[in-house]
Amino acid sequence: MSISGLVPDFKVSTTQVATISVILASGLIYRYLWRPKKSDVANLRGPPNAHWVWGHLPRVLEAVNDQSIVEEWTENYGENVAVSGLLGIKRLWTIDPKTMGYILSRATVFPKPDNSRVTLAQLTGDGVLVVEGEDHKRHNPAFSPAQTREFAPIFAEKAKLVSRRASSITAQKTDTQQLISAWSGIIAKNEGKDTTVDVLHWTGRAMLDVIGEAGFGYHFNALTEESNELATAVANLFKNMTALNFFAYLQYFFPPARLIPTRRNQAAKNNRKIIHRIGNSLISDKKAEVLQSSEHEKEDVLGRDLLSVLVKSNLATDALSQEEVLAQITTFVLAGHETTSTALAGFLYLMSTHLDIQNKLRQEVLLVGTDNPSIEDLNALPYLDKVLRETLRLYSPVTITSRVATQDDVLPVSEPYVDKNGKTCYEIRVQKGDITFLPLFAVNKSPRLWGPDSKDFIPERWESPPDAISAIPSVFSNLSSFLAGPRACIGWRMAVMEMKVFMFAMIRNFEFKIDPSLKITLDTVIVSRPSVVGREKEGNQLPLIVSMHKHDP
């Protein structure tokens, strides 16, 4: 990502220039004069500052696509590195599993930075992804550890529902069957020939349908209808908030700049109004359904979807306001469908570039005697499981996150290190306000943890995974993809089940190739989504060559 890419050609007024100047001056005063130096971060070794304003931020984003940046930093400076943030303020970049685990396990001491939370709030409102501290406690019991564990069987049941109905010709077509029908129809229109399909577009629609039904009992019908008001608003909101320009970056890093009205912010506000209107209706209907049910019926209502769980819990405690319950809807929609759809796109890209693995996986799934396998059937497919894990290792939808220290603390390290002054250190002191980058993608590809072939797509590595990966903080398979600790992804079980269901259906019914002239890159804003190099103006996409695979039912 180039610096020039951050600054589009646009005009700014004298007032805006003055505002920006005051903000920059305040930042420089904070950096050089006001903030006390009680942290070891500035004494860590690290690369020289790359830019006086942006620091290493563009390099951090480039590293998602260029592993050599991570390898260079690790080889020269170790696993705990000082990088420059905005205005050259030093930040900790760590791929040390022990350091990461400590930070992620202490969620109240190391929450998301305010600017990250503001950006997420523009998408979801003050949902469970955003709130911290006392506000987060108020979201209990709806999102307490005990309640979160109760979501697991609901996720599992909805995934089973998807697989049971995936290819049933006697039931209304849903989910995977609708995706198969959509792609089959596109290929048929091309007289059965190999057809270029933007698979990212379709995996996004499929996951939106799944999360709508599993989350709220709401039918987006994204796979069968070109226009659905809520689906369109969700898509436009995400597209709008991830389309960045100079002012977007300025408002992200400097809170006073958020007072400047922009077309981007106004468009986001308009889309949120649509989501809130429909969401409020869903909440009201669900409350009425719960209140009018008998105790036995309430248990049945409880088991239908996540919104039922949330509403029933909140009626008992009155812990959350209507606005906060509403925020959970947008949280589940955006977090639940964008991440899984992006991971599925990563799977299809890997299949298109590793035809031998695609064929091996297809041979396994074709041994299953039904197009409609149960979750138990899917979990009994060892190669499908290996491919899933290797996909999530290389194409984690959330590639990087950050945390800020709310108090002075001492971070443990896996091994002693030598700082830039030649001193051997056994810990890292951080002070209140220090920000740490946690590059999840780099941990998932670390040669020290995964071996010299860590960048390669090798599902067979899961037959005997290296012992070193046991140090990685994780909730699933020693992967950092779903984070770890109290703020780990609460829907990871559903994501894994969803992926297996759709991976099975797609590889059983279709063959995938890619035009060798295309170069795919990842754009990282909240999640990492693919785009075609040289065609960035077309937006995020993953065009693959798709053809039908003929097999006996």
Side-chain angles (χ1 to χ4, degrees):
M1 184 177 186
S2 65
I3 295 295
S4 60
L6 301 178
V7 188
D9 182 18
F10 63 90
K11 297 179 180 180
V12 294
S13 68
T14 303
T15 301
Q16 290 171 335
V17 170
T19 302
I20 294 169
S21 300
V22 170
I23 291 170
L24 289 173
S26 300
L28 291 170
I29 292 172
Y30 171 81
R31 173 190 173 189
Y32 290 113
L33 301 178
W34 181 77
R35 191 169 188 256
K37 302 296 186 291
K38 299 183 292 182
S39 171
D40 290 333
V41 174
N43 291 323
L44 292 170
R45 294 181 298 155
N49 194 7
H51 191 271
W52 73 275
V53 174
W54 303 113
H56 290 108
L57 294 176
R59 292 287 279 172
V60 167
L61 295 178
E62 289 168 8
V64 175
N65 290 296
D66 187 356
Q67 185 70 10
S68 67
I69 296 174
V70 180
E71 294 171 353
E72 175 191 343
W73 287 357
T74 305
E75 180 180 351
N76 293 332
Y77 313 114
E79 293 187 329
N80 290 294
V81 179
V83 298
S84 298
L86 204 69
L87 301 177
I89 299 173
K90 292 300 180 183
R91 307 299 191 207
L92 172 62
W93 160 287
T94 181
I95 60 171
D96 184 333
K98 190 170 185 179
T99 308
M100 290 183 67
Y102 182 84
I103 291 172
L104 291 173
S105 67
R106 293 167 61 85
T108 56
V109 178
F110 295 98
K112 296 182 185 74
D114 286 345
N115 48 10
S116 297
R117 293 174 56 225
V118 167
T119 299
L120 285 171
Q122 288 178 314
L123 280 168
T124 67
D126 291 330
V128 69
L129 290 180
V130 174
V131 293
E132 302 282 357
E134 292 301 316
D135 283 338
H136 189 263
K137 290 180 182 178
R138 285 196 306 101
H139 284 242
N140 292 330
F143 289 97
S144 66
Q147 186 64 65
T148 300
R149 283 192 294 271
E150 290 190 19
F151 286 157
I154 299 173
F155 286 141
E157 179 59 31
K158 291 305 175 183
K160 288 180 181 178
L161 175 65
V162 172
S163 77
R164 284 199 305 266
R165 299 178 63 185
S167 299
S168 171
I169 59 173
T170 59
Q172 180 183 357
K173 291 180 179 179
T174 60
D175 305 312
T176 49
Q177 175 62 16
Q178 288 181 348
L179 181 62
I180 292 167
S181 296
W183 286 359
S184 299
I186 293 171
I187 295 170
K189 288 181 180 179
N190 197 30
E191 300 179 348
K193 301 175 183 176
D194 290 358
T195 305
T196 298
V197 177
D198 177 10
V199 296
L200 178 66
H201 169 79
W202 288 101
T203 59
R205 287 184 168 218
M207 290 304 102
L208 196 57
D209 278 351
V210 170
I211 198 64
E213 183 176 355
F216 332 111
Y218 179 85
H219 298 286
F220 282 101
N221 297 321
L223 282 169
T224 56
E225 297 179 7
E226 282 298 319
S227 179
N228 173 283
E229 187 179 25
L230 183 54
T232 300
V234 168
N236 288 342
L237 177 62
F238 192 86
K239 181 179 180 181
N240 176 254
M241 294 308 299
T242 55
L244 301 181
N245 56 31
F246 178 76
F247 267 122
Y249 276 88
L250 190 69
Q251 291 178 326
Y252 179 83
F253 289 111
F254 295 110
R258 295 167 194 161
L259 299 175
I260 301 173
T262 65
R263 287 192 296 270
R264 175 177 176 268
N265 292 345
Q266 184 58 49
K269 184 178 179 180
N270 293 339
N271 285 309
R272 282 197 301 272
K273 283 182 178 179
I274 296 173
I275 295 171
H276 288 184
R277 172 172 52 80
I278 298 174
N280 277 320
S281 177
L282 288 173
I283 294 169
S284 297
D285 291 346
K286 193 64 64 177
K287 280 183 178 179
E289 187 177 0
V290 172
L291 289 171
Q292 292 173 8
S293 301
S294 65
E295 286 304 312
H296 176 72
E297 290 171 333
K298 284 180 182 179
E299 293 302 316
D300 182 53
V301 170
L302 176 65
R304 292 180 191 171
D305 53 62
L306 299 176
L307 184 57
S308 298
V309 176
L310 189 62
V311 166
K312 185 174 184 294
S313 175
N314 201 52
L315 285 172
T317 63
D318 200 26
L320 304 179
S321 67
Q322 175 90 353
E323 191 71 16
E324 289 168 326
V325 174
L326 179 62
Q328 310 316 327
I329 292 181
T330 48
T331 296
F332 277 124
V333 169
L334 290 166
H337 101 277
E338 277 294 338
T339 51
T340 310
S341 66
T342 302
L344 281 173
F347 159 73
L348 292 174
Y349 173 72
L350 289 168
M351 292 297 96
S352 72
T353 54
H354 298 79
L355 299 183
D356 55 335
I357 295 175
Q358 179 184 158
N359 290 332
K360 183 176 180 179
L361 178 60
R362 184 175 295 108
Q363 288 173 7
E364 181 181 74
V365 302
L366 287 176
L367 291 176
V368 178
T370 175
D371 284 338
N372 183 25
S374 66
I375 290 298
E376 292 73 24
D377 292 332
L378 294 174
N379 286 338
L381 299 175
Y383 202 62
L384 177 68
D385 189 70
K386 294 182 182 72
V387 171
L388 166 77
R389 293 169 194 264
E390 190 72 345
T391 296
L392 288 173
R393 188 180 72 82
L394 293 178
Y395 282 92
S396 171
V398 179
T399 51
I400 189 167
T401 188
S402 58
R403 295 294 186 266
V404 61
T406 59
Q407 64 185 46
D408 297 352
D409 204 345
V410 178
L411 306 180
V413 294
S414 295
E415 298 176 353
Y417 66 93
V418 177
D419 71 10
K420 70 178 185 181
N421 300 315
K423 178 183 176 183
T424 300
C425 304
Y426 302 88
E427 59 193 20
I428 302 172
R429 293 178 306 154
V430 293
Q431 70 183 80
K432 182 179 180 179
D434 277 349
I435 290 177
T436 299
F437 291 122
L438 304 175
L440 311 178
F441 73 94
V443 177
N444 281 345
K445 299 178 185 177
S446 167
R448 181 177 78 80
L449 299 170
W450 296 94
D453 58 3
S454 59
K455 292 185 293 185
D456 300 329
F457 180 60
I458 308 175
E460 287 77 10
R461 78 171 71 246
W462 291 97
E463 294 171 0
S464 181
D467 293 337
I469 68 173
S470 63
I472 299 174
S474 174
V475 294
F476 174 70
S477 199
N478 298 119
L479 295 170
S480 64
S481 309
F482 296 110
L483 291 173
R487 304 305 294 269
C489 172
I490 64 173
W492 69 266
R493 292 176 181 86
M494 183 178 184
V496 168
M497 293 173 188
E498 285 174 339
M499 285 192 67
K500 284 191 175 184
V501 168
F502 280 87
M503 288 166 64
F504 176 93
M506 291 187 294
I507 214 68
R508 188 176 172 93
N509 289 278
F510 302 100
E511 298 177 8
F512 302 91
K513 295 182 292 185
I514 190 169
D515 182 340
S517 67
L518 297 183
K519 182 179 179 182
I520 303 299
T521 188
L522 294 176
D523 300 328
T524 302
V525 184
I526 304 178
V527 298
S528 290
R529 309 177 84 224
S531 63
V532 179
V533 174
R535 293 164 51 181
E536 289 84 359
K537 291 184 178 180
E538 297 176 14
N540 293 113
Q541 59 177 317
L542 182 59
L544 297 182
I545 301 168
V546 183
S547 59
M548 298 296 302
H549 179 80
K550 304 296 184 181
H551 68 275
D552 295 329

